[in-house]
Amino acid sequence: MILIDKPFASDFLLKTIKENNFPIVATAVAKSMIADDSLNWISEKEAIKTIEKQDNYPLYTNSENSISWIEQHLKTSKLPGQIQLFKNKILFRKMVKDHYPNYFFKGIKFEDLKSFDASKLKYPFIIKPAVGFFSLAVHKVDNHGEWKTIIENIDQEIETFKGMYPKEVVDVTDFIIEEFIEGEEYAFDCYFNKNGEPVVLNIMHHIFSSAKDVSDRVYITSKEIIEKHKPKIEAFLQIVGKKAQLTNFPMHVEVRINENGKVQPIEINPLRFGGWCTTGDISYFAYGINSYEHFLYEKTPNWNEILKSRRDKKYNLIVLDNNSGIKESNIKAFNYNLLLKDFEKPLNLRKVDFKKYAVFGFLFTETSINNEDETSEILASNLKKYITIKE
């Protein structure tokens, strides 16, 4: 079953729903987003009855905005509890604490941040909302001298993105302070099948422009990345699955892997793959894997066969967040045609209402394995070359 909510459902996801006749819940929001009466729409009442009758019934959501619907209508199922276990970063840290006993984290109320004495904390550390999304209000604090300024910046950022997402997606009531995890960052989509076994659908290297960068600008996947990290990621997922007793459960996961190969969790996003249908779709663009079908049909990718023809390519997901320093209200237009000319092989471009979401769009590309320039340039770019300012 599919539960659709704002802000976005891709053409690829909708095509998948239509071709497979997957049941899609006829919420008012979903019907307002999708003008196709030929889909297998089922009433909210029927959806609730189906899931309550079978507690591990497979449900996929495209957006965390749907969490409020689940919490409101599926109270007797185990889903609300599982969602909170992962969505709330403090609860998640407590769940895996025995596997990472030396890892420091601390929950703190937003209203207490300004008066909190951070001088005794071990630097560097990360501060972010306990319930968050899309790197909103996430900061790395390298020393005590930065603390006051960063708290002031968080105040301003909260005002900027207030109202963009419901509180189930971004809630700034509580923050988490946690030690900075050393190593390279990776993101991946997966699901747990009816037997509780994890199935990996992609793995992406999340690269940064500097040690201070916490943005979501560039993710890269390739044959080498999959082969190198899949075994250790599967072992990590076995721990998570047993702790949370997961079956028929999709998720998007962010981790760091250090030089010794240890996988350290950053966060887990329940019941969905990457937001805005990004990572769920890149599996198809890169590897021909339809992640939605794989989850709902309990299919496992044949990675040995898939990767034979991906030896000399890498695939990139580029998040065109507005880091220009120019307010959206002062921007007249974004030059997408100029953007596309800067890439070897664009695969898919998704334009976004930047005035509403502070993101210009998402770009999927294919690149030769030895071409580092285009990802390095967009990673460091402030995007001003593509922006036209109002006169």
Side-chain angles (χ1 to χ4, degrees):
M1 186 184 300
I2 308 282
L3 182 59
I4 296 291
D5 211 316
K6 292 181 178 179
F8 178 80
S10 71
D11 290 343
F12 179 70
L13 173 56
L14 298 181
K15 181 172 179 282
T16 298
I17 294 171
K18 190 179 184 77
E19 289 180 348
N20 292 276
N21 203 36
F22 288 140
I24 176 172
V25 186
T27 64
V29 173
K31 293 290 283 187
S32 72
M33 292 174 63
I34 306 168
D36 188 346
D37 292 334
S38 70
L39 297 183
N40 184 14
W41 294 102
I42 62 171
S43 69
E44 294 178 77
K45 186 176 181 180
E46 183 181 352
I48 295 164
K49 185 178 180 181
T50 300
I51 293 173
E52 285 181 340
K53 189 182 297 184
Q54 184 180 332
D55 202 30
N56 65 342
Y57 188 85
L59 174 68
Y60 179 81
T61 69
N62 68 311
S63 167
E64 290 191 357
N65 289 34
S66 63
I67 291 174
S68 58
W69 188 93
I70 294 170
E71 291 184 341
Q72 180 182 351
H73 296 289
L74 301 176
K75 293 177 181 178
T76 61
S77 80
K78 62 184 178 181
L79 288 177
Q82 289 177 323
I83 288 170
Q84 284 306 310
L85 189 58
F86 294 117
K87 187 60 185 166
N88 188 305
K89 297 174 180 64
I90 298 171
L91 293 179
F92 173 65
R93 289 293 177 201
K94 289 179 179 178
M95 183 184 78
V96 297
K97 186 173 176 58
D98 57 341
H99 285 276
Y100 303 91
N102 300 318
Y103 185 77
F104 169 78
F105 67 95
K106 178 180 178 61
I108 183 170
K109 294 288 184 184
F110 169 69
E111 61 196 39
D112 296 331
L113 285 178
K114 288 183 179 179
S115 61
F116 179 72
D117 182 6
S119 62
K120 295 181 175 60
L121 295 179
K122 180 182 177 182
Y123 292 85
F125 62 79
I126 298 291
I127 181 169
K128 56 188 175 183
V131 177
F133 176 63
F134 215 42
S135 295
L136 298 174
V138 177
H139 288 269
K140 182 185 178 189
V141 186
D142 285 315
N143 56 71
H144 185 57
E146 296 181 341
W147 176 253
K148 183 179 178 181
T149 301
I150 285 176
I151 298 305
E152 290 173 353
N153 290 342
I154 288 174
D155 257 341
Q156 295 172 4
E157 289 168 22
I158 288 172
E159 285 301 313
T160 300
F161 65 71
K162 188 181 292 183
M164 283 186 185
Y165 301 96
K167 67 179 181 62
E168 291 85 4
V169 178
V170 181
D171 186 351
V172 296
T173 305
D174 294 287
F175 273 69
I176 183 171
I177 293 172
E178 55 185 357
E179 71 177 72
F180 178 73
I181 304 169
E182 298 293 341
E184 294 295 306
E185 185 168 319
Y186 293 85
F188 57 90
D189 294 332
C190 64
Y191 75 89
F192 291 82
N193 64 22
K194 64 184 178 184
N195 298 318
E197 299 162 343
V199 177
V200 174
L201 300 169
N202 56 46
I203 304 172
M204 290 148 287
H205 187 189
H206 184 187
I207 62 174
F208 299 94
S209 60
S210 68
K212 201 70 173 172
D213 184 13
V214 293
S215 71
D216 291 319
R217 177 58 61 82
V218 177
Y219 295 81
I220 301 171
T221 185
S222 68
K223 174 181 183 292
E224 289 73 19
I225 290 170
I226 300 289
E227 290 180 336
K228 182 177 181 181
H229 298 296
K230 181 172 167 285
K232 60 178 76 77
I233 282 173
E234 288 173 332
F236 161 75
L237 288 173
Q238 291 282 0
I239 295 171
V240 173
K242 288 178 182 178
K243 282 283 185 183
Q245 297 182 318
L246 301 178
T247 54
N248 289 339
F249 199 91
M251 58 172 56
H252 177 73
V253 186
E254 297 174 13
V255 301
R256 280 187 181 264
I257 303 177
N258 67 19
E259 58 185 11
N260 298 318
K262 183 178 181 181
V263 177
Q264 186 100 348
I266 299 173
E267 65 181 47
I268 292 178
N269 302 283
L271 288 185
R272 67 169 175 88
F273 302 138
W276 292 80
C277 295
T278 50
T279 59
D281 288 10
I282 201 174
S283 293
Y284 185 79
F285 296 140
Y287 304 116
I289 295 170
N290 188 318
S291 295
Y292 313 109
E293 290 181 357
H294 273 61
F295 166 54
L296 292 167
Y297 289 137
E298 278 199 283
K299 294 163 62 177
T300 300
N302 184 345
W303 284 111
N304 289 335
E305 191 64 32
I306 290 168
L307 295 177
K308 285 179 181 179
S309 60
R310 270 77 175 182
R311 188 176 303 276
D312 301 317
K313 301 293 181 182
K314 58 183 179 179
Y315 301 88
N316 313 298
L317 164 59
I318 297 159
V319 181
L320 301 165
D321 56 309
N322 183 12
N323 66 335
S324 66
I326 305 170
K327 290 183 178 180
E328 287 77 23
S329 58
N330 294 328
I331 297 175
K332 180 180 180 181
F334 188 88
N335 193 331
Y336 296 98
N337 290 331
L338 180 61
L339 172 79
L340 295 176
K341 290 178 181 178
D342 287 339
F343 291 90
E344 180 181 329
K345 187 177 179 180
L347 299 173
N348 183 273
L349 171 66
R350 294 178 182 164
K351 301 176 184 179
V352 171
D353 181 352
F354 59 85
K355 292 182 180 179
K356 187 174 183 180
Y357 293 106
V359 179
F360 297 108
F362 301 88
L363 178 64
F364 302 82
T365 69
E366 178 185 289
T367 312
S368 302
I369 203 72
N370 59 352
N371 182 357
E372 304 294 335
D373 291 343
E374 66 180 36
T375 48
S376 298
E377 288 174 9
I378 196 66
L379 180 63
S381 174
N382 59 16
L383 304 183
K384 287 183 178 180
K385 66 181 286 189
Y386 309 113
I387 294 172
T388 301
I389 302 174
K390 291 179 180 178
E391 295 180 358

